[in-house]
Amino acid sequence: MRRRRLLATLGAGLTAGLAGCGTDGGTPTPAVFAYSLPAFDGGTIPPRYTCDGDGVSPAVDVERIPPETTSLALKFTFPNDIGSQVTLWTAWNIPPDIGRIPAGVPTGGRPDELDGGVQGTNERGNVGYLPVCPPPGESYEQWFTLYACQRDIGLEPGASRDALEEELESATLVSKLKMASYRRE
């Protein structure tokens, strides 16, 4: 009998907890973590951020973060094969009150635009942003993830994505992935 009551209570709690998550006219549950990539609205990467344009990094608007966030980290990749990703940009120890990471963050370990944050090594072994550059005629999906961290990441500028991911395993409070694509003509 206790088991039935427990299951009924859990089921009712789960139903009540999910009630605000719908998009059918109800009030959505407020997001604890929100950011946007204004240039990527609509799911397409404009040429400016690719090898066909200026090759600059996109702006990131940080809209909401958990109060216990100590720093932010980002990872911009695209899936290459099953289980592998090509690293386009990594950065960490970005202050949580930055509000906006501007477009066109220059290369280098500690650019002023990251307000004390540092950049890691991209796929070519350079520090900073590597522009999206799929083969002509192909459309590649790109993955952009922003992380709210409960502690600073203990890595020096130029560290690899693998090293960052290892640190993020224990530092991440919450993360959010956004996807966009680019097709070269």
Side-chain angles (χ1 to χ4, degrees):
M1 190 57 125
R2 280 190 208 166
R3 184 176 173 180
R4 282 188 194 164
R5 260 188 280 163
L6 175 63
L7 291 174
T9 303
L10 287 174
L14 181 58
T15 301
L18 292 175
C21 294
T23 58
D24 56 358
T27 303
T29 303
V32 174
F33 188 48
Y35 73 96
S36 63
L37 300 157
F40 296 4
D41 281 350
T44 302
I45 300 172
R48 177 176 186 225
Y49 306 97
T50 73
C51 63
D52 294 326
D54 298 330
V56 299
S57 62
V60 181
D61 288 338
V62 181
E63 297 157 6
R64 258 187 319 276
I65 59 169
E68 57 274 10
T69 301
T70 301
S71 67
L72 301 170
L74 64 83
K75 183 172 72 170
F76 191 32
T77 62
F78 74 86
N80 193 18
D81 289 321
I82 295 175
S84 106
Q85 296 175 28
V86 173
T87 306
L88 300 172
W89 191 25
T90 57
W92 56 91
N93 294 346
I94 302 165
D97 61 352
I98 195 163
R100 176 172 240 232
I101 299 168
V105 173
T107 59
R110 295 183 191 275
D112 291 341
E113 290 79 357
L114 294 181
D115 199 18
V118 298
Q119 296 185 103
T121 304
N122 62 40
E123 196 65 27
R124 291 198 180 140
N126 300 320
V127 175
Y129 181 74
L130 176 65
V132 174
C133 198
E138 294 188 34
S139 179
Y140 275 26
E141 182 177 77
Q142 315 293 316
W143 298 350
F144 191 97
T145 308
L146 191 67
Y147 299 82
C149 301
Q150 62 188 346
R151 64 173 173 79
D152 283 345
I153 302 297
L155 296 173
E156 292 297 315
S160 69
R161 187 192 81 229
D162 289 341
L164 175 60
E165 288 176 343
E166 188 173 312
E167 285 284 317
L168 287 170
E169 285 181 19
S170 62
T172 302
L173 288 166
V174 64
S175 65
K176 190 171 242 182
L177 169 72
K178 293 186 181 279
M179 294 179 277
S181 62
Y182 181 68
R183 179 182 178 90
R184 290 186 75 196
E185 298 306 322

